[in-house]
Amino acid sequence: MATLKDVAQKAGVTVTTVSRVINNRGYLSEKTKEKVRQAMAELNYRPNELARSLSRQTSNTIGIITPHISHPYFSLLISHLESAASRHNFKILLCNSKEDRVKETEYIDLCKSNRVAGVIFCGMILAFEKYNQLDFPFVAIECNSPLFVSTILCDNYSGGRMAAEHLIARGCRHLMHFSGSIIGQEMPGDIRARAFADVCQENSLPFHNRWIKDSPFPVSDCRDFIRQALIDHPHTDGIFASSDLIAAQVIQVCSDLRIRIPEDIRLVGFNDISLASLTTPPITTIRQPLHEMADIAVDALIKSSCHKTVPSEIVLPVTLIKRQST
């Protein structure tokens, strides 16, 4: 196995120069950099990431803690985060907490032992007591807390208003909203629900906010819950689902109950994951700019790890995507 010294000898430079090329430190001519890279390629040399992290106190690794990798929204977000990290020559350490405080605590300890540059949280946090004990930065996507150096959000309130206003504009007069349940900290779905309620009240229209299970991110089958809600409120003619995954299950339940979409009930989702355009009918939804949110989160974390100032909160606009469900 080739060593740093072997690369230096082949390139005709010092070991220090090779190290500076690998770590992108100090000024070196492009000719020198190319000689070192060529020698590394010919010798199939791979830097020892553990040794590098020990010398720098951090590694070129970003920890990502997500509540559910099986949820299509988080799967897409993780893909964007990995791509953004790769563009900065960083790798990711993916941790799936499954909304479990013990798992989240263990994963934070794992990130610490692996000397990550920082951690990006997706959606929620549980082990609050752990964060003040650590010396690397935390960035959050769609989860607000003073513990984080930066929080990246979409405009959830505007999204909830857009959904309600669109349903009303399409003639709906008895509205319902489905979302994951409140868990003691305000989640994006709560903000969307509040905006939905505000619009309904402003228009003096009856509405129902229905909370699914004990999770803000329902990943399992919630069709029985949706079915009972529609049976309890047979006059419902407009539904706002706080995720496209819930909206897809609304379509299935309506099909079972012989309720036509959009003729009998008009439906709006949230996220604009690929599922929204694959259902029958395709789902009108509120698009979150996940690609941009991921880019900004990674950039903020890397800058913060280098002790640069980053905005404490960034809110990005959402867009109404009209499809056949309305």
Side-chain angles (χ1 to χ4, degrees):
M1 183 180 294
T3 66
L4 204 68
K5 186 176 180 180
D6 295 332
V7 175
Q9 289 178 342
K10 188 167 187 64
V13 298
T14 65
V15 171
T16 300
T17 297
V18 175
S19 179
R20 287 168 64 190
V21 171
I22 292 172
N23 292 293
N24 196 26
R25 290 181 177 174
Y27 173 77
L28 292 169
S29 68
E30 283 302 318
K31 182 178 179 181
T32 299
K33 291 179 183 178
E34 185 54 36
K35 282 200 303 182
V36 172
R37 292 179 188 129
Q38 183 65 31
M40 290 171 63
E42 291 177 8
L43 294 172
N44 196 29
Y45 174 77
R46 295 290 182 272
N48 186 322
E49 284 296 329
L50 177 60
R52 294 173 70 196
S53 67
L54 288 171
S55 66
R56 297 195 311 265
Q57 299 304 309
T58 63
S59 66
N60 275 19
T61 304
I62 295 171
I64 296 175
I65 300 182
T66 179
H68 293 290
I69 59 173
S70 60
H71 195 295
Y73 163 80
F74 291 110
S75 297
L76 179 59
L77 178 58
I78 290 163
S79 178
H80 287 316
L81 287 168
E82 191 280 331
S83 295
S86 181
R87 286 193 290 273
H88 290 274
N89 295 316
F90 276 71
K91 302 292 187 288
I92 65 168
L93 176 62
L94 179 59
C95 307
N96 185 28
S97 73
K98 296 186 177 180
E99 299 183 50
D100 184 305
R101 178 185 293 271
V102 174
K103 278 183 173 290
E104 185 176 305
T105 299
E106 291 173 348
Y107 279 134
I108 293 169
D109 290 338
L110 177 67
C111 288
K112 181 179 180 180
S113 65
N114 279 272
R115 298 175 182 264
V116 298
V119 171
I120 296 175
F121 282 86
C122 302
M124 65 184 297
I125 57 172
L126 295 171
F128 289 93
E129 70 281 355
K130 291 292 294 183
Y131 306 122
N132 292 326
Q133 307 169 15
L134 302 172
D135 57 359
F136 50 73
F138 295 92
V139 170
I141 296 177
E142 291 287 77
C143 179
N144 222 334
S145 170
L147 295 168
F148 300 122
V149 297
S150 188
T151 300
I152 318 303
L153 304 162
C154 77
D155 193 341
N156 288 288
Y157 187 83
S158 290
R161 289 195 66 93
M162 284 180 189
E165 289 169 351
H166 180 62
L167 289 170
I168 294 169
R170 298 297 295 144
C172 301
R173 294 298 177 264
H174 297 84
L175 286 81
M176 184 178 294
H177 170 248
F178 290 110
S179 182
S181 60
I182 301 171
I183 60 167
Q185 56 180 293
E186 186 173 68
M187 302 301 295
D190 306 329
I191 301 171
R192 297 166 199 166
R194 186 168 67 247
F196 174 83
D198 286 348
V199 172
C200 291
Q201 289 168 348
E202 289 165 11
N203 287 272
S204 301
L205 293 176
F207 69 95
H208 300 278
N209 273 329
R210 301 301 295 262
W211 306 99
I212 302 169
K213 298 187 177 181
D214 297 320
S215 164
F217 312 111
V219 292
S220 57
D221 192 336
C222 54
R223 285 175 293 182
D224 287 343
F225 181 91
I226 295 167
R227 180 179 292 104
Q228 190 59 54
L230 292 178
I231 291 171
D232 291 343
H233 304 283
H235 299 299
T236 299
D237 58 5
I239 293 176
F240 170 39
S242 197
S243 75
D244 294 334
L245 186 61
I246 297 174
Q249 294 183 69
V250 170
I251 290 175
Q252 290 183 309
V253 171
C254 286
S255 177
D256 292 343
L257 296 176
R258 300 188 183 280
I259 297 172
R260 299 170 302 166
I261 297 176
E263 292 86 354
D264 302 322
I265 288 180
R266 302 186 191 276
L267 172 67
V268 177
F270 203 103
N271 300 143
D272 196 28
I273 57 176
S274 60
L275 176 65
S277 61
L278 299 175
T279 56
T280 303
I283 300 167
T284 292
T285 191
I286 307 298
R287 176 179 291 167
Q288 292 176 279
L290 291 186
H291 188 284
E292 293 87 344
M293 293 169 75
D295 284 349
I296 293 170
V298 169
D299 185 65
L301 186 137
I302 293 173
K303 286 180 178 176
S304 182
S305 70
C306 297
H307 308 292
K308 296 179 181 178
T309 302
V310 296
S312 60
E313 181 177 289
I314 298 173
V315 181
L316 298 181
V318 295
T319 309
L320 174 66
I321 305 300
K322 299 178 184 179
R323 297 194 179 101
Q324 283 78 9
S325 69
T326 55

